[in-house]
């Protein structure tokens, strides 16, 4: 039952009820004091008005001049006292000797109270304790022309005023009770809403949750975004801002309609889709959550580069397997010719096959000093041969070592050769793919061409977009990675400040390179 263990909603409700009770109690006390003051003011105005009315009455002036003023004025005072609902009406001399009084025994005695202002011709009101107890009284002069010939005092006992105030207490209590009831109901509704929003957690638990949430957002290695239904960015952790190049000003605003941000703004669920964001390859997951969408981003740029290199090694391995198979066939042929006694033909056949293989190896190794690219070309040549395509490496090809990072070279050349081989396989014979490389000053020009039909000029602008593929929409999905090769090529080329030119089935890449070691 300790308030420290209450939930935030319970603490808020208790605080609100306490504040409301204090306010209503204070308001009730203030209203009571104000009512008391208002009753005193009303009593003061009442006795002053009645006193002036009595003092201005000709009957009172005549009575003061009569031989026996009490006989004339006492009945008049009693009647006025009853009609005006006052406690006393006293008519007296300027010296304060009473001619009238509710208690006849007090007639002829001195008036208890201040009369100096009235004797001087000025009215006065005061609270004074006289023969009838404490009262609110007024004393005014009775004039005969300019001369003050007597005084009139009218009073109401304070007990009567208090009764009037007490008569208002029930209405004040009812009003306070209604105010408490309405305020309490409102506070209860607010606490219900707070309970739903905070899941009935306490301040300490919420503080711990915030600390955990903040620590996780800063420590998690995946990018995390939270979007509302209108595509406005509500939250982005450090990794998401780094991957997408966002800053603090992006919060609370639509994330945009271009590139990956435009894709995320569509609000469509996604699972392990591959997208490009600037020079990065990102795996995107997007799912609805509450009143918005949660997006996670994983940086696969380095993994994609390693995958490209792995594909090159795998291709080279496949080429070695194919060559080993072909070598076994040729060896059997040579052995069979020797067994048949046709030694000259065996030597001629073996020498010719060796010369062809050696010429390709010598050409590639002599022209391409970058070992990773050389291995890639030899592997692609073997793969192409298996598929009935001849891969030609230009005799004057020149790729110096360390001209570009090996991963980028594999990405550019490997994807262009894969697309070229696929295009050549789909074309009628002869099926050829050519590769050339020219180093000129601070730039390197790579050219891959094939015997296929080439790209439609209308498709060139879209060829380097993620997801576009000539293999059909069914294959060009973000989850399978189809339609990503040329997009990765474009990304790598632009990363090195280069450009790509497409002329039918020929792709020409120009990139800036450093001075070779």
């Amino acid at each position: 039952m300790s308030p420290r263990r209450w939930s935030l909603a319970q603490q808020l409700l208790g605080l609100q009820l306490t504040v409301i009770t204090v306010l209503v109690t204070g308001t009730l006390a203030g209203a009571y004091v104000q009512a008391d003051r208002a009753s005193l003011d009303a009593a003061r105005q009442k006795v002053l008005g009645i006193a002036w009315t009595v003092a201005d009455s000709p009957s009172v002036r005549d009575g003061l001049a009569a031989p026996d003023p009490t006989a004339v004025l006492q009945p008049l005072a009693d009647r006025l006292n009853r009609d005006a609902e006052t406690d006393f009406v006293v008519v007296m001399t300027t010296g304060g000797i009473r001619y009238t009084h509710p208690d006849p025994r007090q007639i002829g005695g001195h008036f208890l109270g201040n009369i100096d202002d009235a004797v001087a011709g000025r009215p006065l009101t005061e609270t004074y304790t006289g023969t009838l107890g404490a009262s609110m009284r007024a004393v005014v002069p009775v004039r005969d022309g300019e001369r003050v010939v007597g005084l009139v005092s009218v009073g109401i006992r304070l007990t009567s005023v208090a009764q009037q105030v007490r008569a208002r207490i029930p209405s004040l209590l009812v009003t306070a009770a209604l105010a408490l009831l309405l305020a309490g109901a409102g506070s209860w509704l607010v606490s219900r809403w707070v309970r739903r929003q905070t899941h009935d957690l306490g301040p300490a638990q919420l503080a711990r949750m915030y600390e955990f949430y903040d620590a996780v957002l800063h420590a998690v290695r995946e990018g995390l975004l939270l979007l509302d239904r209108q595509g406005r960015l509500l939250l982005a952790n450090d990794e998401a801002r780094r991957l997408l190049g966002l800053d603090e000003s992006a919060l609370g605003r639509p994330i945009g309609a271009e590139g990956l941000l435009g894709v995320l703004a569509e609000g469509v669920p996604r699972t392990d889709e591959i997208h490009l964001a600037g020079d990065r390859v990102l795996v995107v997951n997007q799912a609805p959550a509450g009143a918005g969408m949660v997006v996670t981003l994983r940086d696969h740029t380095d993994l994609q580069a390693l995958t490209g290199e792995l594909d090159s090694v795998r291709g080279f391995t496949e080429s070695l397997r194919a060559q080993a198979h072909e070598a076994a066939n040729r060896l059997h042929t040579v052995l069979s010719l020797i067994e048949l006694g046709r030694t000259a033909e065996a030597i001629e056949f073996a020498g010719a096959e060796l010369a062809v293989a050696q010429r390709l190896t010598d050409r590639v190794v002599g022209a391409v000093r970058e070992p990773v690219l050389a291995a890639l070309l030899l592997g692609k040549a073997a793969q192409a041969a298996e598929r009935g395509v001849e891969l030609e490496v230009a005799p004057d090809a020149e790729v110096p070592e360390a001209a570009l990072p090996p991963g980028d070279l594999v990405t550019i050349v490997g994807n262009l050769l894969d697309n070229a081989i696929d295009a050549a396989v789909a074309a009628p014979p002869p099926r050829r793919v050519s590769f050339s490389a020219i180093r000129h000053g601070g730039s390197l020009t790579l050219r891959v061409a094939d015997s296929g039909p080439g790209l439609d000029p209308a498709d060139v602008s879209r060829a380097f977009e993620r997801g576009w593929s000539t293999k059909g929409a069914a294959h060009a999905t973000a989850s399978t990675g189809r339609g990503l090769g040329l997009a990765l090529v474009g990304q790598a080329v632009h990363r090195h400040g280069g450009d790509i030119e497409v002329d039918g089935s020929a792709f020409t890449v120009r990139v800036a390179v450093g001075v070779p070691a």
Side-chain angles (χ1 to χ4, degrees):
M1 295 301 294
S2 174
R4 293 185 177 182
R5 299 183 179 180
W6 291 358
S7 68
L8 180 62
Q10 290 173 323
Q11 292 189 21
L12 181 61
L13 177 60
L15 178 61
Q16 286 179 320
L17 291 178
T18 301
V19 171
I20 290 170
T21 301
V22 171
L23 289 176
V24 172
T25 303
T27 302
L28 182 61
Y32 180 83
V33 172
Q34 186 66 26
D36 184 60
R37 291 179 179 176
S39 297
L40 286 175
D41 290 339
R44 181 180 291 108
Q45 296 299 324
K46 179 178 179 179
V47 296
L48 184 61
I50 295 173
W52 275 119
T53 301
V54 174
D56 291 340
S57 173
S59 300
V60 173
R61 286 196 295 270
D62 293 342
L64 287 172
D68 187 2
T70 298
V72 177
L73 296 175
Q74 180 66 21
L76 177 62
D78 290 340
R79 185 172 68 252
L80 290 173
N81 204 28
R82 289 192 303 270
D83 294 343
E85 296 181 348
T86 57
D87 288 308
F88 64 85
V89 177
V90 175
V91 182
M92 70 193 85
T93 66
T94 55
I97 302 301
R98 304 186 190 98
Y99 288 138
T100 65
H101 195 277
D103 183 1
R105 292 173 299 175
Q106 303 297 329
I107 296 174
H110 282 279
F111 178 77
L112 300 179
N114 300 311
I115 61 173
D116 293 342
D117 286 348
V119 172
R122 298 185 299 272
L124 70 89
T125 58
E126 66 175 350
T127 301
Y128 196 89
T129 302
T131 58
L132 298 178
S135 63
M136 171 61 67
R137 58 181 62 184
V139 182
V140 300
V142 179
R143 298 177 183 274
D144 184 5
E146 295 298 327
R147 186 168 60 91
V148 176
V149 296
L151 305 176
V152 174
S153 177
V154 178
I156 297 176
R157 285 181 295 183
L158 294 183
T159 53
S160 300
V161 176
Q163 287 178 352
Q164 295 177 5
V165 174
R166 286 195 295 271
R168 298 184 183 181
I169 290 178
S171 61
L172 291 175
L173 291 176
V174 170
T175 302
L178 289 176
L180 279 174
L181 182 62
L182 292 175
S187 299
W188 181 76
L189 291 175
V190 170
S191 70
R192 286 282 303 273
W193 177 80
V194 172
R195 176 174 294 183
R196 288 195 300 269
Q197 298 298 317
T198 61
H199 301 285
D200 208 22
L201 298 176
Q205 295 170 302
L206 290 174
R208 285 196 299 271
M209 286 186 62
Y210 174 78
E211 292 172 357
F212 297 156
Y213 149 87
D214 190 62
V216 169
L217 282 183
H218 286 83
V220 70
R221 296 300 302 273
E222 287 192 356
L224 177 64
L225 299 173
L226 182 60
L227 309 176
D228 65 10
R229 295 189 185 277
Q230 287 71 43
R232 290 189 294 265
L233 180 62
L234 302 180
L235 179 145
N237 69 346
D238 296 344
E239 183 67 5
R241 294 177 184 177
R242 183 184 71 85
L243 295 176
L244 300 179
L246 301 175
D247 54 26
E248 290 289 345
S249 63
L251 294 177
R253 302 168 61 181
I255 58 175
E258 297 181 357
L260 176 57
L261 295 178
V263 173
L264 298 180
E266 295 174 0
V268 178
R270 306 175 190 280
T271 302
D272 291 336
E273 291 189 2
I274 299 176
H275 291 264
L276 300 180
D279 59 351
R280 300 186 180 279
V281 179
L282 304 180
V283 177
V284 179
N285 285 276
Q286 189 169 2
M293 301 290 291
V294 173
V295 181
T296 59
L297 307 171
R298 295 197 305 275
D299 189 357
H300 273 212
T301 305
D302 296 337
L303 180 60
Q304 193 69 34
L306 292 175
T307 302
E309 294 184 17
L310 179 61
D311 288 342
S312 301
V313 173
R314 185 181 291 116
F316 189 56
T317 303
E318 289 296 321
S319 70
L320 291 178
R321 181 192 59 77
Q323 289 179 8
H325 180 74
E326 290 299 317
N329 289 335
R330 295 186 181 98
L331 182 60
H332 282 299
T333 302
V334 171
L335 290 176
S336 297
L337 288 172
I338 293 174
E339 290 176 353
L340 293 174
R342 310 186 68 163
T343 307
E345 288 86 344
I347 295 174
E348 181 181 357
F349 176 78
E353 293 295 326
L354 179 62
V356 171
Q358 190 63 41
R359 278 199 302 273
L360 176 61
T361 302
D362 291 343
R363 181 179 300 173
V364 171
V365 174
V368 181
R369 286 186 287 171
E370 175 57 57
V372 173
L373 182 59
L376 174 69
L377 289 173
L378 290 175
K380 294 300 180 186
Q383 286 181 358
E386 279 192 322
R387 301 180 66 184
V389 178
E390 180 183 359
L391 173 59
E392 299 176 350
V393 178
D396 58 348
E398 180 188 2
V399 180
E401 188 174 0
L404 287 177
D408 289 340
L409 271 176
V410 169
T411 296
I412 296 172
V413 178
N415 283 291
L416 291 179
L417 287 177
D418 285 339
N419 288 344
I421 293 172
D422 289 342
V425 169
R431 300 180 176 93
R432 294 190 180 89
V433 173
S434 64
F435 169 79
S436 64
I438 300 175
R439 168 70 185 275
H440 181 71
S443 67
L444 176 65
T445 301
L446 305 173
R447 187 175 185 274
V448 175
D450 60 75
S451 59
L455 279 179
D456 189 327
D459 294 332
V460 172
S461 61
R462 298 189 299 123
F464 296 92
E465 295 178 2
R466 184 204 65 83
W468 188 89
S469 174
T470 58
K471 300 176 180 63
H475 301 285
T477 61
S479 59
T480 61
R482 288 285 190 178
L484 189 63
L486 287 180
L488 292 173
V489 171
Q491 181 189 86
V493 170
H494 290 108
R495 186 162 52 243
H496 293 281
D499 60 78
I500 305 175
E501 179 183 332
V502 181
D503 182 12
S505 61
F507 287 73
T508 303
V509 174
R510 297 180 183 86
V511 292
V513 296
V515 178

